Amino acid sequence: MNMALAGNMHPVALAVFCVAFALVTVAGFLAAKWRRPDEGLHSLEEWGLGGRSFGTLITWFLLGGDVYTAYTVIAVPAALYGAGALGFFAVPYTILIYPYMMLVLPKLWTVCHRNGYVTFADFVKGRFEFRPLTVAIALTGILSLMPYIALQLVGMKVALAAMGLRGEWPLILAFLILAFYTYSAGLRAPAIIAVVKDIMLYVMVIAAVIWLPSKLGGFGHIFAVAAAELPKHSPPGGTLLKAGQYLPYSTLAIGSALALILYPHTSTATLSSSGPQTLRRNAALLPAYTLMLGLLALLGYVALAAGVKAADKSEVIPLLFLNGFPEWFAGFCLAAVAIGALVPAAIMSIAAANLFTRNLWGEFVKTPLTAQKEAAQAKIVSLIVKFGALAFVLETPGSYAIEMQLLGGIWITQLFPAVVCGAFVKRRALHPWAVFAGWLAGMVWGSGMAIALEFKGSGVYPLHVFGQTWSMYAAIPALVLNLVISFGLSPVFAKVRPIALTA
């Protein structure tokens, strides 16, 4: 089953794709009436958080939609196709995230629900009462989300191009549909579509790991081919980690896990749930997605054994599907990838709109916005965010979105002291000025490391300490500096400006 990059039209696959896309579009618009309150979606609680009413099942699909995006489906197998075992860090990262979620998210939900907080920046505002820190948290969240949204468009663009739909108009049309049903239905739209999307992804992955290996001589042959081919790549890869890859691998997994909870789209999905117990049940159930991710990642090796040849590694999985499956099922799989872009892109745009409305605009307007005006403004901002991401993808190479996403991951990790530590440590242990100083130091150093790497190498930076070189994910040393400053300077600032413990 030797393959090469193709650009021919695939009419059967395209027809199946269009039918699936039409069905989720209808579901997206109908979602505006699902659990709709009598007064309508005229507050951020209702439009941006779904009324905080989602139960275990919907929250499971919604959080799963946050983790397993269109770009995940394309990028994780592509990482194994290109680099081998190092790309597998995404699997232990998702294993680490669930106990972390079980510990942190119920606590944050309880505080946010009690105080009517819509974003984690709201939480920081209430916890520290320091406007510069609130604005810093909101800006970091929005800037980290923009390339993430763009990556979803990159994933959708690849799926469309694989079926022969090249040019700008298919992506523009798909995103216009996304923009309008998100505007009308808010978070309810991606919540409904997430159910359809994840069922399609499960079907796709299960079929792929059974059907494709059976055509290629089984996984034994697939691993043998991968072991022979990966060392020929530049840089050389392998099916096993090399001696110098253990620290990069582990820090990538740990840093990615720390970051995920802090992304605004994760906080939006979290705060939309009906309670702490719902989140605990989800943390127990979400490992099913890790099993799926592990199987999905192996498709990178399947593509090597199948002879997939692609200059752009993001095209590897679409090519594998189009050449390895009957065309109608390939259309189903590519539809799952494209729909997998809609759910996180919608949640991310809503999260960015919530942050801007509540924590940037809302911090500086003289007259506080009413609940109805907040919702109206957030809807408009969500459109601006989507079209901004669309313009970025259409006007710049796809590699730019990947590079900016690398920087976004480093940035978002720097919220850990303010959000996670802020939720658990005593008020006097963290002074807002020290937390702000720590955030600034982590942002500057983390950005400097990413720039020094020229935004390449998955953010793995060679850190020189005590005459030794330690290669690790840049977010981790930046976060360590952030934590040292945040906790180390808190007693100093407390003497200059004591914290009002009764506030």
Side-chain angles (χ1 to χ4, degrees):
M1 191 165 58
N2 190 40
M3 307 174 198
L5 187 62
N8 297 329
M9 186 71 72
H10 297 272
V12 176
L14 185 58
V16 173
F17 178 95
C18 291
V19 169
F21 204 87
L23 289 175
V24 298
T25 298
V26 172
F29 282 109
L30 291 177
K33 299 181 180 179
W34 177 56
R35 294 183 178 181
R36 183 187 181 98
D38 294 337
E39 64 273 15
L41 307 182
H42 298 313
S43 70
L44 284 186
E45 289 264 347
E46 290 297 337
W47 182 83
L49 292 181
R52 303 184 196 262
S53 63
F54 296 152
T56 301
L57 185 63
I58 296 298
T59 303
W60 186 64
F61 283 116
L62 202 58
L63 284 171
D66 279 346
V67 179
Y68 300 95
T69 67
Y71 199 73
T72 302
V73 174
I74 287 172
V76 173
L80 267 74
Y81 174 90
L86 185 62
F88 213 70
F89 80 88
V91 176
Y93 136 56
T94 58
I95 294 171
L96 292 171
I97 193 70
Y98 303 127
Y100 175 42
M101 289 173 62
M102 185 173 284
L103 176 67
V104 174
L105 293 186
K107 171 73 171 179
L108 286 169
W109 187 95
T110 300
V111 175
C112 291
H113 183 264
R114 182 171 62 238
N115 294 282
Y117 299 154
V118 174
T119 68
F120 283 173
D122 278 350
F123 164 78
V124 170
K125 177 181 179 180
R127 168 66 172 79
F128 294 100
E129 298 179 341
F130 187 49
R131 178 180 288 178
L133 183 60
T134 302
V135 171
I137 298 299
L139 278 174
T140 305
I142 292 172
L143 291 175
S144 299
L145 277 180
M146 292 303 292
Y148 218 149
I149 299 172
L151 281 182
Q152 306 317 309
L153 297 183
V154 170
M156 186 183 293
K157 187 177 181 180
V158 168
L160 292 169
M163 292 179 293
L165 286 178
R166 299 187 179 273
E168 299 178 352
W169 70 266
L171 191 61
I172 293 173
L173 178 61
F175 223 57
L176 280 173
I177 294 170
L178 166 68
F180 288 123
Y181 69 60
T182 305
Y183 183 91
S184 63
L187 194 63
R188 287 168 169 80
I192 290 294
I193 296 172
V195 178
V196 179
K197 182 267 286 187
D198 286 357
I199 291 173
M200 292 177 72
L201 284 180
Y202 273 106
V203 171
M204 178 193 81
V205 172
I206 292 170
V209 298
I210 294 174
W211 175 262
L212 296 177
S214 70
K215 297 177 66 176
L216 295 168
F219 274 108
H221 174 70
I222 288 168
F223 273 92
V225 173
E229 291 296 322
L230 285 167
K232 301 175 185 177
H233 291 187
S234 180
T239 54
L240 297 176
L241 289 175
K242 300 175 183 178
Q245 292 181 323
Y246 298 130
L247 187 59
Y249 182 89
S250 58
T251 53
L252 277 166
I254 294 169
S256 299
L258 291 175
L260 181 63
I261 281 181
L262 300 168
Y263 272 108
H265 59 287
T266 305
S267 67
T268 297
T270 296
L271 298 181
S272 70
S273 68
S274 58
Q277 195 58 32
T278 298
L279 294 169
R280 293 189 184 96
R281 284 193 291 264
N282 268 273
L285 294 171
L286 279 169
Y289 280 98
T290 299
L291 175 62
M292 182 176 75
L293 183 63
L295 296 173
L296 176 68
L298 292 178
L299 295 182
Y301 291 165
V302 173
L304 284 171
V308 172
K309 304 295 181 185
D312 185 348
K313 291 183 178 63
S314 65
E315 296 175 317
V316 166
I317 291 304
L319 283 174
L320 178 65
F321 289 158
L322 282 168
N323 290 273
F325 285 129
E327 189 167 321
W328 68 269
F329 192 71
F332 173 89
C333 294
L334 292 173
V337 173
I339 295 166
L342 297 180
V343 173
I347 302 171
M348 290 169 192
S349 66
I350 291 169
N354 291 346
L355 280 169
F356 180 86
T357 301
R358 269 294 180 95
N359 308 118
L360 294 182
W361 186 270
E363 278 293 313
F364 296 102
V365 293
K366 293 181 180 179
T367 304
L369 297 174
T370 64
Q372 188 167 353
K373 287 183 177 179
E374 270 192 336
Q377 179 169 286
K379 291 178 181 181
I380 295 170
V381 173
S382 74
L383 293 177
I384 294 171
V385 168
K386 291 187 189 73
F387 288 118
L390 178 61
F392 182 85
V393 169
L394 294 178
E395 297 299 326
T396 62
S399 61
Y400 285 12
I402 299 171
E403 292 166 359
M404 291 304 297
Q405 168 58 12
L406 165 62
L407 191 57
I410 296 171
W411 285 348
I412 203 70
T413 309
Q414 306 315 309
L415 304 192
F416 184 87
V419 177
V420 178
C421 296
F424 287 92
V425 303
K426 292 181 179 179
R427 189 175 180 85
R428 71 182 68 192
L430 278 175
H431 194 283
W433 290 9
V435 176
F436 181 80
W439 166 84
L440 183 60
M443 292 286 285
V444 171
W445 194 28
S447 300
M449 286 186 281
I451 293 169
L453 290 168
E454 298 180 343
F455 304 100
K456 296 176 182 176
S458 301
V460 175
Y461 184 81
L463 195 64
H464 304 286
V465 181
F466 303 123
Q468 299 289 325
T469 300
W470 306 85
S471 295
M472 63 181 71
Y473 181 36
I476 296 298
L479 177 58
V480 170
L481 175 65
N482 186 345
L483 287 167
V484 168
I485 291 175
S486 296
F487 283 94
L489 290 186
S490 285
V492 177
F493 282 122
K495 292 181 179 179
V496 178
R497 185 180 177 86
I499 299 172
L501 298 178
T502 58

